[in-house]
Amino acid sequence: MKRNKFLLVIVMLALSGYAYGQFAGDGSKNTIVGTKHDLHATFSGGTAVCEYCHVPHKFNSLTTQPPLLWNVQVKPGPFATYSSPSFDGAANIRDPSTASSTSGASYMSLLCLSCHDGTITQASFYQITSAMGGSGSTTPPIIGESGGAGLQNDHPVDFTYSVALATTDGGLKQPTEGASVRIPYVGSPALPLFKDQPTDVSGRLECATCHNPHNATNGKFLRMANSGSSLCLNCHGV
Amino acid sequence: MIATPSSLRGTRFWFLCLALIASACVVPALVSGQKNRLKKSDRAEKTVDMVWPLPPDKPRVRYLGSLTGSTDVQPPRKKGWLTKLINEEEIQRVIGLGRPAGIAIDSKGRIYVADTFRGAVFIFDLEKKTLDFIGADGRGKLANPYGIAIDSKDNVYVSDTKLKRVNVYDVAGNLTGSITKIGAETIENPAGVAIDAPGNRLLIADSRGHKIFAADLTQLGRGVSFGKAGEGDDEFHFPNSVAVDHQRRIYVTDMMNFCIKVFDKDFKFLRRIGEHGTGFGMFDRPKGVALDSQDHIYVVDSSFSNFQIFNPDGQLMLFVGGFGLQPGLFRLPSGIHIDGRDRIYVSDQVNSRVQIFQFLGT
């Protein structure tokens, strides 16, 4: 009996680990300092580390809100920014305006792309490899898609990685998903997939599925070492 | 009537739902109507559509329409029975904007859009209904065009963050020069560019060199640089864009210091606008900056998916936008340009369009 209780605690702890986002690449080595994401190292005397990605909600601390001189009707308030899906609680992961959109790029990958656009570091969601003369389309490519055949540029992100997708594809590992799974995942070690809304069943593949921006241990902020393409095969390979 | 002037969050959720339902019905008609109106040029119409701010405040900004690609200049041909009979192959090729960044307008009113995904500059001529390209191939081929500016002779300056250079094209689109260095200093990563016409200079924000170059246009390769990495008044941290007002004051988006810095033409520091935060008048990812005829300052913020408008004293007047797909909303907006008629062009990167607004005056 005692033993059973002990096991139960272990199991619950393990489950809560998943519930709180313990995935490959998470853990005690999480640190920005000294990595390429440590932007305060650009110059000596810099002090901030976190704020380049995590905006302080300073508006709360202001005693007087700046007025909108042309718009007296609007109450000053915070602007919505990109948010984190590992945020606790039932907060909406995306802005509700995109919840019904099948092409809505998620906030979290856009946070990455707001710097990885060529100005701070190499553009990560660009480039069409064929010349302009190719058969074009007004449908914009999804983020990361190369625009041509194969992976000539980037891996796509911001799409739903569901059991159905894996079944249809035939070459992808089945994700663990469900309404009660707070953060769905795929592979072993587990890579996280991110829900659009807390009630969703399936998660989406985002930049943070393969990258942990807080941990540069594996190089390129990868969640796991990619020797022998092990990271790739964690999804591609059944 | 529809208006979507605000950020979208929290208690506004239900309002938003209503707005979405309404816009699903109204927006398609509205958009096509707006496009036609834009092409009909300056004719004033009484149609009320999207304006900011909402009544009863006096409207200052109106949505005019969006550019998405070749369909803006080549409306899809109606398929009559004859066309169907004659050709299957003459179906027009459609080229859409991919990830638009910098925007500029030449003396003939043509709209130039640097597209980092297509690796080329789109040139929309809404009068003649043509679409041309610069840098799509050949000698002046572009890789990752980001900033763009046009001088009084319609020479086009395009910064490329992959080629690490500013290419110069003549009015016919031929490559006539390239700027990689100013004096002995290499431009590390040219991002936003702007013309200082009276000074015959091209200002270049070097986002990874943390400085601003003022390139002499009478002699390519000559000029001066200003600033270094840091947080001080005369320092920058990943400066993204630059603009010049009617008094030749220089506005720099100091992206990772989260503010706009204003200098006189000789780079004497005048003031800062904004700080880091989510409140009104603050910034998180400030990118494009532009000025209207009255020297109001417009700043695009990729993180807030909006642009904020400040008066010349740096006070916040208004903001337009929020995250989303509908007209008036943005996903990762980047560049902004305002033409001589106070039309505001904003590149809406992930929505693959350029949204056009009209500043209506104070």
Side-chain angles (χ1 to χ4, degrees):
Chain A
M1 188 66 190
K2 216 173 192 180
R3 189 187 155 88
N4 282 348
K5 266 189 182 166
F6 178 72
L7 273 176
L8 186 68
V9 169
I10 295 288
V11 168
M12 284 180 72
L13 278 175
L15 285 174
S16 70
Y18 272 118
Y20 283 92
Q22 291 298 309
F23 294 98
D26 291 345
S28 58
K29 284 184 181 166
N30 278 359
T31 178
I32 290 287
V33 177
T35 71
K36 281 191 171 179
H37 283 167
D38 184 6
L39 294 188
H40 97 286
T42 313
F43 50 89
S44 59
T47 50
V49 176
C50 308
E51 72 173 42
Y52 297 112
C53 291
H54 301 282
V55 53
H57 299 279
K58 277 182 194 163
F59 98 104
N60 281 329
S61 62
L62 291 179
T63 46
T64 38
Q65 293 291 323
L68 267 178
L69 297 177
W70 286 342
N71 192 0
V72 294
Q73 302 295 315
V74 171
K75 283 183 192 162
F79 292 124
T81 61
Y82 310 121
S83 59
S84 165
S86 56
F87 226 52
D88 277 330
N92 287 329
I93 291 162
R94 295 190 194 188
D95 184 292
S97 63
T98 64
S100 59
S101 158
T102 51
S103 61
S106 92
Y107 260 20
M108 62 178 303
S109 287
L110 292 187
L111 170 59
C112 311
L113 295 172
S114 70
C115 287
H116 290 257
D117 68 346
T119 58
I120 287 195
T121 186
Q122 197 58 258
S124 298
F125 68 134
Y126 297 137
Q127 296 307 307
I128 190 159
T129 44
S130 61
M132 294 299 300
S135 61
S137 160
T138 45
T139 310
I142 62 170
I143 292 169
E145 195 177 42
S146 62
L151 292 170
Q152 287 153 318
N153 190 274
D154 294 309
H155 193 287
V157 293
D158 193 41
F159 60 90
T160 303
Y161 190 157
S162 60
V163 168
L165 175 78
T167 307
T168 310
D169 183 271
L172 290 172
K173 282 191 182 161
Q174 297 275 340
T176 299
E177 60 179 25
S180 59
V181 181
R182 187 164 169 269
I183 300 181
Y185 58 93
V186 60
S188 175
L191 300 174
L193 302 166
F194 301 96
K195 288 187 179 184
D196 188 357
Q197 297 292 309
T199 50
D200 285 353
V201 170
S202 305
R204 299 173 73 86
L205 187 138
E206 303 290 351
C207 302
T209 297
C210 298
H211 300 276
N212 178 348
H214 297 110
N215 190 344
T217 312
N218 296 316
K220 296 187 183 297
F221 296 91
L222 291 174
R223 285 191 173 269
M224 55 185 280
N226 197 24
S227 51
S229 300
S230 52
L231 172 59
C232 309
L233 294 171
N234 208 19
C235 297
H236 299 271
V238 281
Chain B
M1 183 204 293
I2 184 162
T4 317
S6 66
S7 65
L8 306 156
R9 188 174 241 210
T11 55
R12 293 185 197 160
F13 176 73
W14 291 111
F15 168 76
L16 181 84
C17 288
L18 283 174
L20 277 177
I21 293 163
S23 62
C25 312
V26 180
V27 162
L30 188 80
V31 171
S32 55
Q34 288 308 307
K35 273 182 188 162
N36 290 337
R37 188 151 70 97
L38 195 70
K39 285 172 201 162
K40 283 179 205 155
S41 161
D42 290 311
R43 202 145 50 84
E45 289 186 24
K46 284 179 184 168
T47 326
V48 180
D49 30 74
M50 292 168 69
V51 292
W52 294 260
L54 283 172
D57 286 329
K58 186 184 168 193
R60 259 64 178 225
V61 172
R62 167 172 289 145
Y63 174 75
L64 292 184
S66 291
L67 297 175
T68 58
S70 55
T71 48
D72 298 312
V73 289
Q74 306 159 346
R77 204 178 300 169
K78 277 182 188 164
K79 272 190 192 168
W81 61 271
L82 192 62
T83 8
K84 271 184 195 166
L85 234 150
I86 293 171
N87 58 54
E88 284 277 311
E89 295 193 3
E90 221 181 274
I91 295 169
Q92 282 163 331
R93 204 178 66 217
V94 173
I95 299 174
L97 285 168
R99 309 279 181 230
I103 303 166
I105 314 282
D106 72 7
S107 63
K108 297 183 182 70
R110 295 184 295 185
I111 305 161
Y112 292 60
V113 183
D115 190 319
T116 52
F117 178 82
R118 299 287 186 195
V121 173
F122 284 58
I123 308 173
F124 294 91
D125 189 330
L126 298 183
E127 294 289 325
K128 291 185 178 164
K129 294 199 193 306
T130 57
L131 175 62
D132 287 309
F133 299 95
I134 284 180
D137 44 33
R139 254 180 82 231
K141 182 160 173 39
L142 294 160
N144 207 80
Y146 188 82
I148 185 164
I150 300 177
D151 69 15
S152 55
K153 293 171 194 140
D154 282 347
N155 293 307
V156 183
Y157 303 84
V158 185
S159 67
D160 192 303
T161 58
K162 202 167 199 172
L163 303 176
K164 312 291 184 198
R165 60 182 58 211
V166 178
N167 275 354
V168 189
Y169 301 88
D170 65 16
V171 67
N174 301 311
L175 182 73
T176 57
S178 212
I179 309 171
T180 55
K181 282 183 172 184
I182 299 296
E185 272 186 286
T186 301
I187 306 171
E188 272 191 59
N189 200 60
V193 291
I195 292 283
D196 168 23
N200 218 344
R201 301 188 297 178
L202 178 74
L203 300 168
I204 305 165
D206 184 352
S207 61
R208 299 185 69 171
H210 309 287
K211 60 181 78 158
I212 307 298
F213 286 97
D216 186 347
L217 292 183
T218 56
Q219 200 174 353
L220 286 192
R222 307 243 343 220
V224 296
S225 77
F226 173 78
K228 62 180 172 53
E231 297 171 316
D233 289 344
D234 294 339
E235 297 172 326
F236 304 107
H237 199 195
F238 297 100
N240 182 283
S241 291
V242 61
V244 184
D245 75 7
H246 293 87
Q247 298 173 51
R248 294 186 67 196
R249 285 179 295 217
I250 297 164
Y251 299 76
V252 178
T253 311
D254 193 356
M255 181 160 143
M256 282 308 184
N257 283 326
F258 310 100
C259 65
I260 299 295
K261 285 184 180 150
V262 190
F263 303 90
D264 74 6
K265 64 178 170 47
D266 302 314
F267 287 105
K268 181 174 168 281
F269 175 80
L270 299 176
R271 77 166 167 271
R272 253 174 222 253
I273 299 171
E275 59 175 304
H276 197 199
T278 53
F280 285 6
M282 295 179 171
F283 299 114
D284 189 26
R285 285 286 181 281
K287 292 201 173 167
V289 58
L291 298 124
D292 66 21
S293 59
Q294 300 173 17
D295 282 345
H296 292 103
I297 307 147
Y298 295 61
V299 186
V300 172
D301 196 301
S302 279
S303 180
F304 305 150
S305 306
N306 69 12
F307 62 89
Q308 300 184 71
I309 307 173
F310 300 85
N311 71 9
D313 296 327
Q315 292 174 296
L316 180 64
M317 309 306 282
L318 186 69
F319 71 90
V320 173
F323 185 84
L325 306 165
Q326 293 80 26
L329 301 176
F330 303 93
R331 289 193 296 164
L332 217 68
S334 171
I336 186 168
H337 182 83
I338 300 175
D339 70 11
R341 296 179 293 182
D342 276 339
R343 282 185 172 170
I344 307 154
Y345 304 78
V346 182
S347 59
D348 188 2
Q349 282 186 100
V350 176
N351 286 331
S352 301
R353 64 188 175 191
V354 170
Q355 295 196 53
I356 309 175
F357 304 85
Q358 178 73 53
F359 170 56
L360 302 168
T362 54

